[in-house]
Amino acid sequence: MLEQRSDAEGWRGEWLEIAEHVVLPLVVLMMPMFLAARWVIRTSLEPLGVAAARMDMVAGTDRGFRLDPDDLPLEVQPFAGALNNLLQRLDDVAGQREAFAINAAHELRTPLAILMGELDRLGSSEALRLKKDVAAMNRLVGQLMLMAQVESYVAAPIARDPVSLAEVAAEVAAQLAPLAATQGRHLELKIHAEVMVAGIRETLVAAVRNLVDNALRVTPVDGLVVISVGPGPKICVGDEGPGLSPNDLERLSRRFARADHASASGAGLGLAIVARIVEIHDAELVTDPQKKEICLSFQDPDSADKQSPSEQG
């Protein structure tokens, strides 16, 4: 009996010895080792989190984005290099397609112009119908060319210059006033403020021109289309059509989408082009169904508005 008690005390002593000299030190060491390992892992993976955040901030249509392999862990650098090569190939393909669209549209304009001239010489009612079809084709070619040019600005960004929205509105009004008169509509220009924004002038002119062109199409004969600038960093086009809800504007801003009241000569690119131009200018395309107007609203004008009560008709 004494021998069994002695063996039990011996085993207990050995377990206490193991717990005191092995288990306890391991427990004490495991906590700082766990914290240290966690810190090392988080520090090592932090560049991946930063890279992921940068990728999330890139718009789906933006180009030229690349990862910097030097900012990533050594083990991940080959993957980053392969991803950059893939992005470069995708950019190259998109650029080739845009170049083809520009070239094709440019080549089509000459024969269309010649055809229009020949139809003018005929002067028959059949020629008049054909002229409308040729004009629709010419408009589509122009829109495709403009869309390709806008995308090329994204592929190879150019410097933004100070642009006067009042001058943009005045240029569009001068361009489309004869067309409005021919269609029996009235075009009015209102300048509530002198607004300067950073942008690409020719694309802003194209955007407003597309809005006015659409407005003339939906406005009844003897109706009024108004181009207004300000107050605030915005340029708006109002008409006497049915108006567009925000949902309709979002839907029609997709390529080849057309409204129920759209002209048969339209290709569903007008608002898509405007939306793309607005996007590359970090602006916003908004609609007011009550006022029946669509506005290009800019968030960061280069300079504060200079109030000007002048109004031109």
Side-chain angles (χ1 to χ4, degrees), residues 258-291:
R258 297 175 55 201
D260 295 335
H261 55 268
S263 168
S265 63
L269 282 173
L271 281 176
I273 293 173
V274 176
R276 193 68 179 101
I277 292 172
V278 166
E279 183 181 357
I280 67 176
H281 282 84
D282 296 323
E284 187 179 5
L285 187 63
V286 295
T287 179
D288 188 334
Q290 301 298 325
K291 294 183 179 180

Side-chain angles (χ1 to χ4, degrees), residues 7 10 18 35 67 86 109 189 194 234 274 295 308 312:
D7 290 342
I18 293 173
L35 295 175
L67 293 173
L86 173 61
R109 281 193 160 184
L189 175 63
E194 179 62 38
K234 65 180 181 179
V274 176
C295 298
S308 172
Q312 302 177 14

Side-chain angles (χ1 to χ4, degrees), residues 97-292:
R97 290 180 177 177
E98 286 155 13
F100 172 79
I102 292 176
N103 293 333
H106 183 73
E107 293 298 326
L108 282 171
R109 281 193 160 184
T110 299
L112 287 175
I114 295 174
L115 180 58
M116 185 69 77
E118 293 296 325
L119 291 173
D120 284 336
R121 292 174 54 188
L122 295 177
S124 64
S125 58
E126 187 68 18
L128 181 61
R129 183 185 64 81
L130 292 174
K131 278 181 62 176
K132 292 181 179 179
D133 293 338
V134 174
M137 291 175 61
N138 197 36
R139 182 170 179 269
L140 173 59
V141 167
Q143 287 185 329
L144 290 172
M145 192 170 182
L146 177 58
M147 179 66 80
Q149 287 174 335
V150 171
E151 294 298 337
S152 70
Y153 291 136
V154 179
I158 64 176
R160 268 46 170 179
D161 298 318
V163 179
S164 168
L165 293 186
E167 292 180 2
V168 169
E171 181 174 341
V172 174
Q175 289 177 356
L176 295 184
L179 176 63
T182 301
Q183 296 178 351
R185 277 86 171 174
H186 304 283
L187 185 60
E188 184 177 353
L189 175 63
K190 293 183 178 180
I191 308 297
H192 301 290
E194 179 62 38
V195 183
M196 301 294 294
V197 299
I200 308 170
R201 179 187 173 88
E202 60 185 285
T203 62
L204 293 176
V205 170
V208 178
R209 186 170 59 240
N210 271 330
L211 289 180
V212 174
D213 186 52
N214 287 341
L216 290 173
R217 289 169 180 271
V218 301
T219 297
V221 176
D222 290 331
L224 177 65
V225 173
V226 179
I227 310 173
S228 61
V229 177
K234 65 180 181 179
I235 182 168
C236 302
V237 175
D239 56 54
E240 295 183 2
L244 283 179
S245 68
N247 289 336
D248 288 337
L249 179 62
E250 192 278 332
R251 177 176 59 85
L252 295 174
S253 296
R254 297 194 292 268
R255 297 182 189 184
F256 307 112
R258 297 175 55 201
D260 295 335
H261 55 268
S263 168
S265 63
L269 282 173
L271 281 176
I273 293 173
V274 176
R276 193 68 179 101
I277 292 172
V278 166
E279 183 181 357
I280 67 176
H281 282 84
D282 296 323
E284 187 179 5
L285 187 63
V286 295
T287 179
D288 188 334
Q290 301 298 325
K291 294 183 179 180
K292 297 182 180 179

